[in-house]
């Protein structure tokens, strides 16, 4: 009977040691991998002052999203972006041709990439300098490759 009790005690100790070993092996001390929060939880960079405001998302050529809340007294989106030094471009046959966003230059002639402009998730029908700032509208500039 005594032998049975010792075996039972040893079995319980062994189970406890195995559980402790398993728990310690899972904790390597290295920080857990983290991912960026979803875009809707990322903070906006707030720029400027003015009677109008709008949200701008910039997606660079690496796919990183940059979120802005822009305040301005400008009438057109493009002029607000120029005033805050977010974009650079030149006058083209269809309005402003954006060459650089956040200092990231794209050249269609050399890298077959360009800055596209979206309003409420739809490809814009007007250039950035010809699009009026409207309440509730969301604007996006996105680096895209030509197809």
């Amino acid at each position: 009977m005594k032998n049975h009790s010792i075996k039972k005690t040893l079995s319980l100790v062994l189970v406890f040691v195995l559980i402790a070993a398993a728990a310690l092996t899972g904790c390597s001390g290295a920080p857990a991998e983290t991912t960026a929060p979803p875009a809707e939880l990322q903070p906006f960079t707030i720029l400027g002052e003015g009677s109008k405001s709008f949200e701008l998302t910039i997606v660079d050529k690496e796919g990183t999203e940059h979120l802005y809340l822009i305040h301005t007294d400008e009438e057109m989106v493009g002029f607000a972006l120029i005033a805050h030094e977010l974009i650079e471009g030149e006058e083209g046959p269809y309005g402003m041709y954006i060459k650089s966003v956040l200092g990231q230059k794209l050249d269609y002639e050399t890298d077959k990439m360009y800055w596209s402009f979206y309003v409420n998730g739809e490809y814009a029908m007007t250039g950035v300098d010809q699009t009026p700032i409207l309440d509730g509208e969301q604007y996006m500039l996105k680096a895209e490759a030509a197809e």
Side-chain angles (χ1 to χ4, degrees):
M1 190 79 151
K2 199 180 204 183
N3 200 11
H4 181 63
S5 175
I6 291 174
K7 285 183 182 180
K8 188 174 184 181
T9 304
L10 285 176
S11 295
L12 286 173
V13 170
L14 182 59
V15 167
F16 177 74
V17 169
L18 289 174
I19 290 172
L24 291 175
T25 346
C27 300
S28 65
E33 287 186 35
T34 59
T35 56
E40 62 270 8
L41 299 178
Q42 292 180 10
F44 283 90
T45 299
I46 300 172
L47 298 176
E49 297 177 1
S51 60
K52 297 177 182 165
S53 64
F54 62 94
E55 293 179 15
L56 173 72
T57 302
I58 297 173
V59 182
D60 63 25
K61 66 182 178 180
E62 286 80 29
T64 303
E65 286 189 1
H66 307 268
L67 306 174
Y68 293 89
L69 179 60
I70 299 175
H71 298 277
T72 186
D73 286 323
E74 296 287 348
E75 296 295 319
M76 301 295 176
V77 173
F79 296 116
L81 301 181
I82 291 168
H84 290 296
E85 299 178 346
L86 295 173
I87 65 171
E88 294 178 10
E90 59 188 39
E91 191 62 32
Y94 305 105
M96 177 183 222
Y97 178 69
I98 300 172
K99 302 283 262 176
S100 173
V101 176
L102 298 177
Q104 191 175 72
K105 295 180 184 196
L106 297 180
D107 184 357
Y108 183 81
E109 299 300 320
T110 58
D111 56 18
K112 299 295 183 218
M113 292 190 77
Y114 65 98
W115 290 105
S116 59
F117 179 52
Y118 292 84
V119 178
N120 294 326
E122 299 288 325
Y123 202 82
M125 294 293 119
T126 56
V128 71
D129 60 333
Q130 300 166 347
T131 302
I133 297 169
L134 300 175
D135 284 341
E137 302 280 285
Q138 295 182 337
Y139 305 97
M140 180 171 58
L141 291 169
K142 184 176 182 183
E144 293 190 317
E147 295 180 7

